[in-house]
Amino acid sequence: MSRIRPYVRGSRRLAAVGAAATSATLLAAALTPAADAAERPTRASAIENASSVLADRAAALGLTAAQDTTVRDVVVDADGTQHVRYDRTYRQLPVLGGDFVVHLAPDGSYRSTSRATRSAVSLASVTPKLSAPKARHLAVNALRAANLGETLRRITATSELVVDALHGAPRLAWRTNAVAQDSLGNPTARTILTDAGTGTEIDAWDAIETASGDGKSLYGGTVPLETTRSGSTYQLKDATRGNTYTGDAANQNDLCILTVCLSRAPATVFTDADNHWGTGTDADRASAAVDAQYGTDVTWDYYRYVHGRKGIAGDGKGSYNRVHYGTRYNNAFWDDTCFCMTYGDGDGTQLGPLVSLDVAGHEMSHGVTSKTAALAYSGESGGLNEATSDIFGTLVEFYAGNASDAGDYLIGEKIVRSGFGREALRYMDRPSKDGASADCWTAAVGDLDVHYSSGVANHFAFLLAQGSGARTVNGVSYDSPTCDGSSVTGIGRAKLGAIWYRALTVYMTSATNYAGARAATLSAAKDLYGAGSAEYGAVAGAWSAVGVG
């Protein structure tokens, strides 16, 4: 049971449209008066303005001639306020924790900066004392240890020299991705950060993130699908959503994960003769494909119509799905390197095919996090990374308005089987019901697996949306206590989503911890509703109620 970790990161893994459009309109209206379209800064002008700030304030921002910056993301608010997110290199080496966001007024003048670290990035040398082969050897040993002595095969490892500014004073380090296959041929991967001077392990984390035709799905009933006609057949490819498609991995595995790829499991696009897909049973391989494609569609629509984000990367390009991956594979993951979601069939005893709607929303949200705050996948930031996917996976499920899979605050409830021992993978109202997750913040939370430290933020999200105490939502009973004995009044899911999305895309950085998440969400609530608003007070109260003061 301890080996089952659905949703591990890594590689990092429909209310009516009219209603969704209305929500988007209300969000825009809350961001102070909009600038005229002709005057509103563009992405290009925001980058130009930020570049001027970097040139003028290089010393104050800790930038030197040995450093370079690249733009990762740009957010322009309705009133013209600009937020330009940067990654940093030092002597051409990536700086972990070097990311920062420059905040500009509508006229392009400097306001403030959010920085992952304020440590000066300067090293006496970028020549490692520890060799790359030695770093790879240490990483492979760490991967073996993490797999509790299980026999691994096809082990590969690649190392990249980086500057680590996430864990104290900046130092030279090797970031090594060690990957292998277990006895069933399923992938296992771990990223190990090693001090390039001493050989000491700095940090380590799992490197797989661990969800107009129609189709009969496994979990969502008969659902609408946009497809592409090709000759006399139809392809399960959606041209209206960036050409997102779903393919059959034929129960094969990748020979690698992350950057070392000798071959990848196939993703042969599903085709159908009459544009009516699946039978709603495991006997038809297309049924799982229907769920995956539907989940992608709804997640795309949620981000598009609620948050104004077109696609995972915000560039209008679609991702793709691989279903029927591996052998009895109890996992699903998002992979940045292929820009795709991958779904196992489960072992049939504890888990069924991992293609449920909230899993799809969860996995695609890992991609959104990667393209925005890029929360490091360890410690408290790793818990926030996982919680972000749980929060948005939940909001996607509610957004769908599907009677066959009604929205709830349970994660993965559709895929669990009787042998799993409980009704869901995780519980947002009282995370500790899974037997391991944290309800309340303590100094030890950062030492937990990220799937368990995420409980603090999941609990916060439930309290902010629904409030404390007993209640029933869509036929499911919840009873959410607070850690300080306080009573919390919820402000609704729409405002939770708006606040968390703005915090993620504007204020959080790779090193954000729980204290930083409180600050980021309060800043977001201030932007959206005002510093003296009930929403601002509710955010503060919900964080205090889970021990983050």
Side-chain angles (χ1 to χ4, degrees), residues 183-207:
S183 59
L184 293 175
N186 294 317
T188 180
R190 197 158 177 82
T191 298
I192 295 87
L193 196 63
T194 309
D195 191 308
T198 65
T200 302
E201 182 179 298
I202 301 170
D203 200 357
W205 55 89
D206 290 329

mmCIF file of all heavy atoms in Angstrom, residues 183-207:
data_model
loop_
_atom_site.group_PDB
_atom_site.id
_atom_site.type_symbol
_atom_site.label_atom_id
_atom_site.label_comp_id
_atom_site.label_asym_id
_atom_site.label_seq_id
_atom_site.Cartn_x
_atom_site.Cartn_y
_atom_site.Cartn_z
ATOM 1 N N SER A 183 10.011 -4.487 -11.656
ATOM 2 C CA SER A 183 9.894 -5.872 -12.121
ATOM 3 C C SER A 183 8.748 -6.082 -13.094
ATOM 4 O O SER A 183 8.740 -7.055 -13.851
ATOM 5 C CB SER A 183 9.724 -6.809 -10.912
ATOM 6 O OG SER A 183 8.569 -6.452 -10.154
ATOM 7 N N LEU A 184 7.772 -5.150 -13.104
ATOM 8 C CA LEU A 184 6.647 -5.235 -14.048
ATOM 9 C C LEU A 184 6.887 -4.397 -15.300
ATOM 10 O O LEU A 184 6.054 -4.355 -16.197
ATOM 11 C CB LEU A 184 5.354 -4.783 -13.382
ATOM 12 C CG LEU A 184 4.823 -5.666 -12.251
ATOM 13 C CD1 LEU A 184 3.605 -5.018 -11.607
ATOM 14 C CD2 LEU A 184 4.486 -7.052 -12.765
ATOM 15 N N GLY A 185 8.015 -3.719 -15.337
ATOM 16 C CA GLY A 185 8.311 -2.878 -16.477
ATOM 17 C C GLY A 185 7.798 -1.459 -16.346
ATOM 18 O O GLY A 185 7.928 -0.661 -17.273
ATOM 19 N N ASN A 186 7.215 -1.125 -15.180
ATOM 20 C CA ASN A 186 6.713 0.225 -14.976
ATOM 21 C C ASN A 186 7.847 1.163 -14.564
ATOM 22 O O ASN A 186 8.820 0.741 -13.939
ATOM 23 C CB ASN A 186 5.630 0.226 -13.898
ATOM 24 C CG ASN A 186 4.404 -0.539 -14.335
ATOM 25 O OD1 ASN A 186 3.965 -0.410 -15.473
ATOM 26 N ND2 ASN A 186 3.848 -1.359 -13.446
ATOM 27 N N PRO A 187 7.736 2.461 -14.898
ATOM 28 C CA PRO A 187 8.835 3.379 -14.636
ATOM 29 C C PRO A 187 8.927 3.787 -13.175
ATOM 30 O O PRO A 187 7.929 3.906 -12.473
ATOM 31 C CB PRO A 187 8.492 4.581 -15.513
ATOM 32 C CG PRO A 187 6.993 4.581 -15.554
ATOM 33 C CD PRO A 187 6.614 3.127 -15.590
ATOM 34 N N THR A 188 10.150 4.011 -12.727
ATOM 35 C CA THR A 188 10.403 4.639 -11.440
ATOM 36 C C THR A 188 11.531 5.624 -11.664
ATOM 37 O O THR A 188 12.446 5.364 -12.452
ATOM 38 C CB THR A 188 10.763 3.609 -10.359
ATOM 39 O OG1 THR A 188 10.992 4.288 -9.110
ATOM 40 C CG2 THR A 188 11.997 2.793 -10.725
ATOM 41 N N ALA A 189 11.454 6.757 -11.035
ATOM 42 C CA ALA A 189 12.440 7.801 -11.291
ATOM 43 C C ALA A 189 12.615 8.662 -10.056
ATOM 44 O O ALA A 189 11.689 8.842 -9.262
ATOM 45 C CB ALA A 189 12.016 8.657 -12.481
ATOM 46 N N ARG A 190 13.823 9.186 -9.896
ATOM 47 C CA ARG A 190 14.117 10.040 -8.753
ATOM 48 C C ARG A 190 15.145 11.081 -9.175
ATOM 49 O O ARG A 190 16.092 10.777 -9.898
ATOM 50 C CB ARG A 190 14.636 9.214 -7.575
ATOM 51 C CG ARG A 190 14.585 9.943 -6.231
ATOM 52 C CD ARG A 190 14.598 8.940 -5.098
ATOM 53 N NE ARG A 190 14.625 9.567 -3.792
ATOM 54 C CZ ARG A 190 13.555 10.027 -3.159
ATOM 55 N NH1 ARG A 190 12.372 9.936 -3.739
ATOM 56 N NH2 ARG A 190 13.660 10.583 -1.962
ATOM 57 N N THR A 191 14.932 12.305 -8.737
ATOM 58 C CA THR A 191 15.894 13.367 -8.962
ATOM 59 C C THR A 191 16.669 13.591 -7.680
ATOM 60 O O THR A 191 16.072 13.766 -6.614
ATOM 61 C CB THR A 191 15.191 14.669 -9.396
ATOM 62 O OG1 THR A 191 14.507 14.436 -10.630
ATOM 63 C CG2 THR A 191 16.194 15.789 -9.591
ATOM 64 N N ILE A 192 17.992 13.591 -7.793
ATOM 65 C CA ILE A 192 18.854 13.736 -6.623
ATOM 66 C C ILE A 192 19.728 14.963 -6.813
ATOM 67 O O ILE A 192 20.372 15.136 -7.859
ATOM 68 C CB ILE A 192 19.741 12.490 -6.414
ATOM 69 C CG1 ILE A 192 18.873 11.260 -6.087
ATOM 70 C CG2 ILE A 192 20.736 12.720 -5.289
ATOM 71 C CD1 ILE A 192 18.370 10.505 -7.280
ATOM 72 N N LEU A 193 19.749 15.814 -5.827
ATOM 73 C CA LEU A 193 20.572 17.013 -5.837
ATOM 74 C C LEU A 193 21.762 16.765 -4.915
ATOM 75 O O LEU A 193 21.589 16.516 -3.721
ATOM 76 C CB LEU A 193 19.751 18.212 -5.359
ATOM 77 C CG LEU A 193 20.300 19.600 -5.639
ATOM 78 C CD1 LEU A 193 20.391 19.843 -7.148
ATOM 79 C CD2 LEU A 193 19.407 20.662 -4.994
ATOM 80 N N THR A 194 22.962 16.815 -5.494
ATOM 81 C CA THR A 194 24.174 16.446 -4.769
ATOM 82 C C THR A 194 25.155 17.608 -4.741
ATOM 83 O O THR A 194 25.405 18.242 -5.778
ATOM 84 C CB THR A 194 24.863 15.242 -5.441
ATOM 85 O OG1 THR A 194 23.910 14.197 -5.630
ATOM 86 C CG2 THR A 194 26.012 14.734 -4.596
ATOM 87 N N ASP A 195 25.718 17.896 -3.584
ATOM 88 C CA ASP A 195 26.742 18.943 -3.465
ATOM 89 C C ASP A 195 27.936 18.566 -4.330
ATOM 90 O O ASP A 195 28.540 17.495 -4.144
ATOM 91 C CB ASP A 195 27.168 19.093 -2.004
ATOM 92 C CG ASP A 195 28.029 20.314 -1.753
ATOM 93 O OD1 ASP A 195 29.026 20.479 -2.480
ATOM 94 O OD2 ASP A 195 27.725 21.087 -0.820
ATOM 95 N N ALA A 196 28.286 19.420 -5.298
ATOM 96 C CA ALA A 196 29.363 19.115 -6.237
ATOM 97 C C ALA A 196 30.737 19.274 -5.615
ATOM 98 O O ALA A 196 31.748 18.946 -6.237
ATOM 99 C CB ALA A 196 29.259 20.009 -7.471
ATOM 100 N N GLY A 197 30.779 19.764 -4.386
ATOM 101 C CA GLY A 197 32.061 19.879 -3.696
ATOM 102 C C GLY A 197 32.310 18.746 -2.741
ATOM 103 O O GLY A 197 33.432 18.215 -2.660
ATOM 104 N N THR A 198 31.285 18.322 -2.007
ATOM 105 C CA THR A 198 31.461 17.320 -0.957
ATOM 106 C C THR A 198 30.863 15.967 -1.286
ATOM 107 O O THR A 198 31.183 14.968 -0.634
ATOM 108 C CB THR A 198 30.823 17.818 0.344
ATOM 109 O OG1 THR A 198 29.396 17.926 0.159
ATOM 110 C CG2 THR A 198 31.381 19.180 0.736
ATOM 111 N N GLY A 199 29.958 15.903 -2.263
ATOM 112 C CA GLY A 199 29.270 14.650 -2.567
ATOM 113 C C GLY A 199 28.101 14.367 -1.653
ATOM 114 O O GLY A 199 27.470 13.309 -1.736
ATOM 115 N N THR A 200 27.754 15.308 -0.770
ATOM 116 C CA THR A 200 26.634 15.139 0.153
ATOM 117 C C THR A 200 25.303 15.331 -0.580
ATOM 118 O O THR A 200 25.166 16.251 -1.391
ATOM 119 C CB THR A 200 26.712 16.166 1.297
ATOM 120 O OG1 THR A 200 27.968 16.003 1.974
ATOM 121 C CG2 THR A 200 25.562 15.980 2.280
ATOM 122 N N GLU A 201 24.349 14.450 -0.296
ATOM 123 C CA GLU A 201 23.025 14.622 -0.882
ATOM 124 C C GLU A 201 22.340 15.821 -0.239
ATOM 125 O O GLU A 201 22.217 15.902 0.979
ATOM 126 C CB GLU A 201 22.185 13.368 -0.682
ATOM 127 C CG GLU A 201 20.795 13.465 -1.319
ATOM 128 C CD GLU A 201 19.965 12.199 -1.152
ATOM 129 O OE1 GLU A 201 20.392 11.135 -1.672
ATOM 130 O OE2 GLU A 201 18.904 12.279 -0.496
ATOM 131 N N ILE A 202 21.892 16.753 -1.077
ATOM 132 C CA ILE A 202 21.217 17.951 -0.596
ATOM 133 C C ILE A 202 19.716 17.713 -0.487
ATOM 134 O O ILE A 202 19.071 18.073 0.498
ATOM 135 C CB ILE A 202 21.479 19.140 -1.541
ATOM 136 C CG1 ILE A 202 22.986 19.425 -1.640
ATOM 137 C CG2 ILE A 202 20.720 20.378 -1.073
ATOM 138 C CD1 ILE A 202 23.336 20.420 -2.736
ATOM 139 N N ASP A 203 19.149 17.096 -1.510
ATOM 140 C CA ASP A 203 17.712 16.855 -1.550
ATOM 141 C C ASP A 203 17.444 15.776 -2.577
ATOM 142 O O ASP A 203 18.294 15.482 -3.431
ATOM 143 C CB ASP A 203 16.956 18.138 -1.913
ATOM 144 C CG ASP A 203 15.482 18.104 -1.504
ATOM 145 O OD1 ASP A 203 15.030 17.063 -0.995
ATOM 146 O OD2 ASP A 203 14.788 19.116 -1.704
ATOM 147 N N ALA A 204 16.278 15.156 -2.515
ATOM 148 C CA ALA A 204 15.883 14.135 -3.482
ATOM 149 C C ALA A 204 14.368 14.089 -3.519
ATOM 150 O O ALA A 204 13.703 14.316 -2.508
ATOM 151 C CB ALA A 204 16.459 12.768 -3.111
ATOM 152 N N TRP A 205 13.834 13.795 -4.692
ATOM 153 C CA TRP A 205 12.379 13.729 -4.809
ATOM 154 C C TRP A 205 11.988 12.814 -5.958
ATOM 155 O O TRP A 205 12.776 12.579 -6.889
ATOM 156 C CB TRP A 205 11.783 15.122 -5.009
ATOM 157 C CG TRP A 205 12.324 15.907 -6.166
ATOM 158 C CD1 TRP A 205 11.863 15.904 -7.447
ATOM 159 C CD2 TRP A 205 13.441 16.805 -6.145
ATOM 160 N NE1 TRP A 205 12.597 16.746 -8.224
ATOM 161 C CE2 TRP A 205 13.576 17.320 -7.456
ATOM 162 C CE3 TRP A 205 14.324 17.243 -5.147
ATOM 163 C CZ2 TRP A 205 14.564 18.242 -7.795
ATOM 164 C CZ3 TRP A 205 15.299 18.156 -5.486
ATOM 165 C CH2 TRP A 205 15.422 18.643 -6.788
ATOM 166 N N ASP A 206 10.764 12.287 -5.866
ATOM 167 C CA ASP A 206 10.229 11.477 -6.952
ATOM 168 C C ASP A 206 10.170 12.319 -8.210
ATOM 169 O O ASP A 206 9.812 13.494 -8.171
ATOM 170 C CB ASP A 206 8.826 10.962 -6.621
ATOM 171 C CG ASP A 206 8.843 9.910 -5.535
ATOM 172 O OD1 ASP A 206 9.838 9.188 -5.449
ATOM 173 O OD2 ASP A 206 7.846 9.811 -4.789
ATOM 174 N N ALA A 207 10.472 11.719 -9.359
ATOM 175 C CA ALA A 207 10.537 12.468 -10.609
ATOM 176 C C ALA A 207 9.439 12.066 -11.584
ATOM 177 O O ALA A 207 9.569 12.278 -12.773
ATOM 178 C CB ALA A 207 11.909 12.281 -11.254
#
